[in-house]
Amino acid sequence: MKKNKLGINTICTHVGAIEDRQFKGATSPIYLSSSYEFMDVDVKRYPRYFNTPNQEYLAKKIAALEHAEAALLFGSGMAAISSTLFAFLKAGDHVVVQNDIYGGTRNLIAKQFDKYNISYTFTNGLSVEDFQDAIQANTKLVYIETPSNPLLKLVDLAAIASLCKRESIISIIDNTFATPVVQNPVDFGIDIVVHSATKYFGGHSDLCAGAVAASQEHINKIWELAKDFGGSLSDFTVWMLERSLKTLGIRVKAQQRNAKKLAKFLNKHEAISKVYYPGLKSHPDYDLAKQQMRGYGAMLSFDIIEELNAKVFLKALQLIKPSMSLAGIESTMILPAEASHALLSKEERLEQGIGDNLIRFSVGIEDKNDLINDIETALSIIAEGKLVNTI
Ligand SMILES: *Cc1c(COP(=O)(O)O)cnc(C)c1O
């Protein structure tokens, strides 16, 4: 069978499963050995070499999902991201980085790169011209994230890929927000795809992992550094992640169906001044979303009108939980000004369009009417002023 001809749910369910030859069980056995035979074997296996049976086989599923040749699993999204970046960089190199990327990645670059004499430029905006302008003679990598956090802006995958090919620069995308259910950057010519598997891949808010998918050649290069950095994943978690990935397709599709409905509902609500969701016709990147995404993902953001207080609103919700993280089957909301972007000054935040009343909404699989009721009830409670003084 040709792997990439399989439908996404079949890849999720079957690719990379380890056959239980001994007992014929339905699921992959879990191999916990940290010590393997070294003589007369094809592969010298060791957990930190990223090649225990569970790691090796689950990597096949992730590669198939991302339409890539190979993949590696990591102990966290940041372990995948840091290992990938450092695998391709040396002193004197330069990196072009999208300006509004995940805070942890931004910190890694802004706090660590100087001491290795690796320079970087954060782009002014998200257009291909903004990336072009930031490229220098010593630029090695371009790093993007689309849809972006928290305003769900899009970067043109095909345009960035062809710019990078023209300039012989490696392109890397953080595909955590979209997932391969919604977007396959490799199909547009992007070289390397990284993931925080803590988010949609895990999907149940109960594990921390990372992944990278790319050509075999790029994965070999990342592996060379990764085994020295040592950020491999425990086989218990690999096994949990395999179980989680079986439902990635149906989870994300259900979540994005809900997200589209919730975005439309919020867009019409008088207490909401603005909704950021690439699936709304009013979104500036709506056409681009249609070109490069299948659906529009399950993350959205919105501004509550100035007269109301977003923190009080979050306290008034019963079903939807305030939460630091995202992408679980349960709906959660976060105030970027208080969490992901709390380290920026208010001016810096406002410059990026992140006001105090901006809420990022990770839409779950609950029944959409219950989510709508929860939001409507909370908004009416705070509009009546019943909760204002309790905070
Ligand atoms: C959470 C996240 C990361 C970091 O992943 P960890 O698993 O927390 O290390 C990277 N990128 C994005 C977009 C994320 O949401």
Side-chain angles (χ1 to χ4, degrees):
M1 270 198 293
K2 280 195 211 134
K3 256 197 298 199
N4 290 344
K5 296 281 181 213
L6 296 174
I8 185 125
N9 288 322
T10 313
I11 296 175
C12 285
T13 324
H14 292 290
V15 173
I18 303 177
E19 195 185 332
D20 177 2
R21 296 220 178 93
Q22 193 172 7
F23 298 112
K24 315 262 183 234
T27 65
S28 299
I30 173 167
Y31 293 93
L32 290 172
S33 290
S34 59
S35 184
Y36 286 86
E37 162 79 274
F38 67 94
M39 290 186 296
D40 308 320
V41 290
D42 301 335
V43 189
K44 290 195 173 64
R45 296 186 194 274
Y46 185 60
R48 184 172 45 76
Y49 290 174
F50 297 79
N51 61 5
T52 57
N54 291 87
Q55 291 183 81
E56 183 186 317
Y57 275 71
L58 187 58
K60 293 179 204 286
K61 192 194 293 291
I62 290 170
L65 284 169
E66 284 295 2
H67 300 178
E69 286 173 7
L72 288 174
L73 300 165
F74 286 85
S76 68
M78 286 312 302
I81 292 166
S82 56
S83 297
T84 300
L85 288 170
F86 282 111
F88 294 96
L89 294 170
K90 59 176 186 335
D93 287 342
H94 174 256
V95 196
V96 172
V97 189
Q98 182 177 321
N99 63 5
D100 53 351
I101 53 162
Y102 177 71
T105 313
R106 195 182 177 95
N107 282 344
L108 167 73
I109 292 167
K111 289 193 184 147
Q112 306 296 332
F113 277 23
D114 285 346
K115 68 181 179 222
Y116 298 100
N117 195 24
I118 298 164
S119 57
Y120 51 87
T121 306
F122 286 101
T123 58
N124 284 327
L126 271 61
S127 75
V128 67
E129 291 76 23
D130 289 315
F131 283 86
Q132 171 92 60
D133 290 347
I135 289 174
Q136 304 176 3
N138 57 342
T139 303
K140 264 284 178 53
L141 302 175
V142 165
Y143 190 97
I144 62 172
E145 202 173 296
T146 175
S148 73
N149 178 25
L151 296 177
L152 290 307
K153 295 185 213 156
L154 304 191
V155 176
D156 187 332
L157 292 173
I160 293 294
S162 70
L163 168 69
C164 289
K165 291 219 156 37
R166 208 161 58 234
E167 307 272 349
S168 302
I169 293 168
I170 295 169
S171 51
I172 305 179
I173 183 172
D174 182 333
N175 204 29
T176 301
F177 265 37
T179 82
V181 180
V182 177
Q183 170 175 286
N184 283 116
V186 167
D187 293 349
F188 294 87
I190 299 291
D191 295 314
I192 299 173
V193 183
V194 292
H195 274 279
S196 169
T198 314
K199 311 298 165 53
Y200 287 106
F201 278 15
H204 297 70
S205 309
D206 58 4
L207 63 84
C208 181
V212 53
S215 67
Q216 187 67 56
E217 192 186 340
H218 283 142
I219 289 294
N220 289 349
K221 182 128 194 191
I222 296 165
W223 180 80
E224 280 294 336
L225 176 123
K227 70 181 182 358
D228 295 340
F229 272 24
S232 59
L233 188 59
S234 115
D235 283 301
F236 276 120
T237 312
V238 174
W239 191 90
M240 293 259 290
L241 184 55
E242 182 190 358
R243 191 173 75 165
S244 298
L245 281 169
K246 289 181 184 180
T247 56
L248 177 76
I250 56 170
R251 276 190 280 115
V252 173
K253 282 179 195 168
Q255 285 173 272
Q256 76 170 353
R257 257 198 317 277
N258 268 351
K260 193 168 176 191
K261 288 174 183 151
L262 268 293
K264 286 188 173 159
F265 158 74
L266 290 166
N267 207 27
K268 285 197 204 123
H269 203 290
E270 60 198 9
I272 308 300
S273 52
K274 186 152 186 194
V275 179
Y276 308 83
Y277 185 63
L280 291 177
K281 289 207 176 77
S282 53
H283 191 285
D285 298 319
Y286 177 73
D287 290 333
L288 182 56
K290 282 208 159 328
Q291 270 172 47
Q292 65 187 30
M293 301 171 83
R294 289 178 293 272
Y296 310 97
M299 299 296 302
L300 63 96
S301 292
F302 57 96
D303 284 311
I304 293 195
I305 52 171
E306 277 175 19
E307 294 77 15
L308 300 176
N309 182 325
K311 266 198 239 179
V312 186
F313 166 70
L314 289 194
K315 297 225 166 190
L317 292 165
Q318 298 291 313
L319 195 60
I320 302 167
K321 297 280 179 292
S323 165
M324 277 292 276
S325 199
L326 60 112
I329 47 167
E330 69 285 359
S331 291
T332 60
M333 289 187 184
I334 194 173
L335 291 171
E338 298 272 323
S340 54
H341 294 69
L343 294 179
L344 301 181
S345 69
K346 183 156 180 159
E347 291 69 38
E348 285 173 318
R349 271 192 276 113
L350 289 179
E351 208 175 295
Q352 292 188 22
I354 299 166
D356 290 341
N357 265 2
L358 178 74
I359 294 176
R360 191 192 69 196
F361 187 3
S362 170
V363 182
I365 62 166
E366 301 91 339
D367 294 287
K368 80 156 197 295
N369 289 339
D370 295 330
L371 296 172
I372 288 175
N373 280 341
D374 198 28
I375 294 170
E376 238 167 11
T377 310
L379 283 172
S380 64
I381 289 173
I382 64 166
E384 287 164 22
K386 285 187 199 154
L387 251 179
V388 176
N389 297 325
T390 68
I391 202 163

